[in-house]
């Protein structure tokens, strides 16, 4: 804002350094550090004030809204176990009027800053060159999906303003920041590695949060792990596993891009998957493992010569160490994963929900029954806004909104596939693998219908679209000629 209002400031050395910092991965790292501090130390409100100050300064010194991206991705992962509304609804800071007043003030002022920056950028773009703001390319698919959400249960006794409202929130969480960043970020000035670096830092921050889960009361009992007591303020172990799995492709991106030290990022990718395993989430282990293997294969196929040999050497050595460690410490591993071993492959009640969802779809094939009548789960068990859900994206779509919602989702998915594969790049490959982690883990859980992952999903698609028109590099899918 300042440099646009006072163009001479662009030549100021200090202003230039501040501007470059807010556009750098170093700033993203600061945001992630604050996220981990808030979650592990229960310092949410203090960190929110820091985020507000950083957002204000970033908007003042930069010409776009890139500085808001890390805050948008990390904001919801700041809630600590002590202040989890789901676990301790009457004992958290959210039951304190003073905390709530401050939280609402920070949120309202942040939204005002975002709106003001949006208007200023649109006016400045129009005044400078007569250009109109770009229209996000995926808007039609998002709108179709949102309409499907909001019409869930329509023309039946199941329809209500409650399910319409929840569908609206779902729609807004998907599209608002996607469209906002598509329009307001100057993508030509963003480093291509920026988003991969952001998710690499988020993965490190989540590693700290996963380690903190093991310090919670009731997690370690007589040397064994009780995974049911593992949670953060923003989700249980399954939610953490999903986000951690979405970070695995980030180090793999740098493993491809860094020719000399790329093998170090191959090591980091293995540690990221180890973090997924430590969440004790069966879906995370399975589908995170698939994403890890797919991302690693992409690294091997995208590198040549000594770089590929280095990656292979690291993978072989890692496999040898893993095998030896499992043989030597098998008793300790049995204790560590006792709760997972005990439950094994049992569906944990999901099979009943799946059957009921399919039956509900057959009885209500066009518009379903809405979000709050998901069969197999009683809404009375939920004391907060989030509705009971089917733990499977496709069955959720069919039971909630019938064929209307399901076909809307298919249209949206086709649009995203075209975006990813039409002009392939390493940046798009990172986005594709990260989104794949979300979609796969959502086959056995509710992640796609949670607000936080939906926001991150939209931001990832914005980055893929933003980099789409930039010059391409040689990729695995389609080598660049010339």
């Amino acid at each position: 804002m300042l440099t646009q209002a006072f163009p001479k400031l662009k030549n100021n050395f200090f202003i230039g350094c501040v501007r470059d910092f807010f556009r750098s991965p170093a700033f993203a790292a600061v945001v992630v550090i604050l996220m981990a501090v808030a979650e592990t130390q229960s310092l949410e409100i203090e960190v929110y004030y820091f985020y507000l100050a950083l957002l204000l300064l970033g908007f003042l010194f930069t010409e776009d809204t890139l500085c808001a991206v890390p805050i948008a991705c990390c904001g919801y992962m700041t809630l600590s176990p002590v202040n989890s509304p789901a676990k301790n609804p009457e004992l958290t800071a959210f039951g304190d009027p003073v905390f709530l007043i401050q939280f609402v003030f920070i949120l309202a002022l942040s939204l005002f800053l975002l709106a003001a920056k949006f208007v200023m950028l649109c006016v400045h773009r129009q005044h400078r060159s007569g250009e109109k703001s770009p229209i996000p390319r995926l808007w039609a698919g998002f709108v179709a999906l949102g309409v499907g959400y909001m019409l869930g249960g329509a023309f039946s006794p199941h329809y209500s303003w409650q399910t319409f409202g929840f569908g609206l929130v779902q729609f807004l969480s998907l599209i608002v920041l996607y469209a906002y960043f598509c329009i307001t970020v100057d993508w030509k000035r963003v480093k291509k590695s920026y988003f991969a670096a952001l998710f690499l830092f988020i993965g490190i921050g989540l590693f700290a949060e996963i380690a903190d889960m093991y310090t919670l009361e009731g997690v370690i009992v007589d040397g064994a792990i009780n995974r049911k007591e593992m949670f953060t303020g923003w989700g249980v172990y399954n939610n953490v596993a999903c986000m951690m799995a979405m970070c695995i492709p980030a180090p793999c991106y740098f493993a491809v891009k860094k020719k000399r030290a790329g093998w170090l990022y191959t090591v980091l990718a293995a540690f990221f998957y180890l973090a997924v395993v430590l969440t004790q989430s069966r879906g995370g282990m399975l589908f995170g493992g698939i994403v890890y293997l797919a991302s690693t294969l992409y690294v091997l196929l995208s590198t040549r010569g000594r770089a590929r040999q280095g990656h292979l050497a690291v993978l072989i050595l890692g496999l040898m160490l893993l095998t030896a460690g499992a043989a030597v410490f098998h008793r300790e591993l049995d204790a560590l994963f006792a709760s997972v071993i005990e439950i094994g492959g049992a569906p944990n009640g999901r099979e009943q929900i799946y059957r009921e969802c399919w039956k509900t779809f057959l009885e209500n094939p066009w518009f379903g029954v809405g979000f709050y009548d998901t069969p197999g789960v009683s809404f009375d068990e939920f004391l907060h806004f989030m509705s009971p859900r089917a733990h499977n994206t496709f069955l959720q779509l069919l039971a909630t909104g019938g064929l209307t919602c399901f076909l809307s989702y298919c249209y949206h998915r086709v649009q995203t596939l075209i975006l990813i594969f039409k002009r392939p790049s390493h940046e798009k490959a990172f986005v594709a693998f990260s989104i794949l982690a979300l979609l796969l883990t959502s086959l056995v859980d509710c992640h796609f219908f949670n607000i936080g992952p939906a926001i991150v999903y939209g931001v990832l698609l914005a980055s893929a679209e933003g980099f789409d028109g930039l010059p391409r590099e040689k990729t695995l899918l389609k080598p660049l000629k010339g």
Side-chain angles (χ1 to χ4, degrees):
M1 290 184 180
L2 287 178
T3 55
Q4 290 167 328
F6 306 99
K8 292 184 178 180
L9 291 177
K10 292 182 179 180
N11 300 322
N12 183 279
F13 175 78
F14 173 75
I15 297 294
C17 290
V18 173
R19 184 173 64 243
D20 291 343
F21 167 72
F22 278 106
R23 300 187 61 84
S24 71
F27 172 71
V30 170
V31 173
V32 172
I33 290 172
L34 290 171
M35 173 196 82
V37 168
E39 197 280 336
T40 59
Q41 305 300 316
S42 303
L43 295 174
E44 291 94 330
I45 202 67
E46 292 83 355
V47 167
Y48 295 158
Y49 275 116
F50 269 108
Y51 279 174
L52 178 61
L54 291 172
L55 188 66
L56 175 60
L57 290 173
F59 280 2
L60 283 175
F61 287 101
T62 60
E63 291 82 8
D64 66 358
T65 62
L66 182 65
C67 66
V69 169
I71 298 175
C73 291
C74 295
Y76 87 100
M77 291 183 282
T78 55
L79 290 179
S80 64
V82 173
N83 291 319
S84 169
K87 293 290 184 178
N88 307 300
E90 298 178 358
L91 302 176
T92 72
F94 287 91
D96 179 5
V98 176
F99 180 96
L100 278 177
I101 290 172
Q102 294 182 84
F103 177 77
V104 171
F105 167 76
I106 293 170
L107 181 61
L109 191 52
S110 299
L111 293 175
F112 172 78
L113 289 174
L114 290 168
K117 186 73 171 182
F118 179 84
V119 172
M120 191 215 70
L121 287 173
C122 291
V123 171
H124 180 73
R125 184 184 289 120
Q126 179 73 21
H127 177 73
R128 180 184 59 190
S129 57
E131 298 178 3
K132 293 183 178 180
S133 297
I135 298 176
R137 286 162 48 187
L138 302 180
W139 72 269
F142 274 118
V143 170
L145 185 58
V147 171
Y149 283 169
M150 290 181 282
L151 288 179
F155 308 108
S156 77
H158 304 283
Y159 196 63
S160 66
W161 285 108
Q162 190 178 29
T163 193
F164 174 86
F166 187 77
L168 177 62
V169 170
Q170 290 284 308
F171 167 59
L172 294 177
S173 65
L174 287 167
I175 195 174
V176 169
L177 289 181
Y178 154 75
Y180 185 86
F181 290 128
C182 279
I183 295 171
T184 60
V185 171
D186 186 355
W187 294 101
K188 294 180 180 179
R189 299 183 57 196
V190 181
K191 292 182 179 180
K192 289 187 176 182
S193 62
Y194 181 87
F195 282 82
L198 169 60
F199 277 78
L200 187 147
F201 293 137
I202 290 176
I204 296 173
L206 286 176
F207 211 133
E209 294 190 6
I210 291 168
D212 184 67
M213 287 198 299
Y214 278 83
T215 67
L216 298 178
E217 183 180 358
V219 171
I220 302 178
V221 181
D222 297 329
I225 304 299
N226 179 14
R227 68 176 190 152
K228 293 182 179 180
E229 295 299 324
M230 295 177 63
F231 61 92
T232 63
W234 51 273
V236 298
Y237 55 91
N238 286 329
N239 305 110
V240 181
C242 171
M243 285 307 306
M244 192 71 228
M246 292 180 70
C247 294
I248 291 174
C252 292
Y253 169 87
F254 288 104
V256 172
K257 301 289 286 187
K258 303 292 183 180
K259 303 303 180 183
R260 294 184 178 180
W263 62 271
L264 291 172
Y265 293 96
T266 300
V267 174
L268 187 58
F271 275 99
F272 275 23
Y273 179 61
L274 173 63
V276 174
V277 172
L278 290 175
T279 64
Q280 308 269 341
S281 168
R282 293 176 299 162
M285 293 180 194
L286 173 60
F287 296 116
I290 292 174
V291 170
Y292 170 69
L293 292 175
S295 300
T296 301
L297 180 61
Y298 183 88
V299 171
L300 294 176
L301 294 176
S302 300
T303 53
R304 299 289 184 271
R306 291 184 178 180
R308 179 184 289 179
Q309 293 171 8
H311 297 307
L312 281 171
V314 166
L315 292 171
I316 293 172
L317 179 60
L319 183 60
M320 293 171 60
L321 291 174
L322 179 64
T323 303
V328 174
F329 300 104
H330 65 92
R331 292 182 180 177
E332 289 79 3
L333 290 174
D334 287 344
L336 178 63
F337 297 104
S339 59
V340 176
I341 296 172
E342 180 181 354
I343 195 172
N348 203 22
R350 286 176 172 82
E351 78 286 4
Q352 177 64 25
I353 299 176
Y354 294 165
R355 283 195 295 266
E356 292 294 331
C357 283
W358 183 250
K359 179 181 177 182
T360 298
F361 162 65
L362 295 178
E363 294 173 351
N364 305 269
W366 293 109
F367 293 99
V369 297
F371 281 101
Y372 290 95
D373 284 300
T374 300
V377 184
S378 171
F379 178 66
D380 293 337
E381 299 174 10
F382 291 78
L383 301 177
H384 45 86
F385 176 70
M386 300 302 291
S387 74
R389 283 152 294 162
H391 290 76
N392 177 278
T393 301
F394 300 115
L395 289 172
Q396 179 76 63
L397 292 167
L398 291 171
T400 295
L403 286 174
T404 302
C405 195
F406 182 77
L407 293 176
S408 298
Y409 175 84
C410 290
Y411 174 51
H412 166 68
R413 185 57 57 228
V414 168
Q415 279 198 315
T416 59
L417 290 173
I418 292 173
L419 172 65
I420 294 295
F421 288 103
K422 189 174 182 179
R423 291 174 57 90
S425 66
H426 293 311
E427 290 72 33
K428 285 188 178 182
F430 151 70
V431 170
F433 285 127
S434 186
I435 289 177
L436 181 63
L438 171 64
L439 299 182
L440 288 178
T441 53
S442 296
L443 292 177
V444 292
D445 222 307
C446 316
H447 307 305
F448 191 76
F449 297 93
N450 287 333
I451 294 173
I455 290 173
V456 175
Y457 172 78
V459 172
L460 283 169
L461 286 177
S463 72
E465 185 172 329
F467 288 132
D468 193 43
L470 302 182
R472 291 175 292 169
E473 301 176 56
K474 186 176 180 181
T475 67
L476 172 64
L477 296 175
K478 188 177 181 181
L480 181 64
K481 297 181 179 180

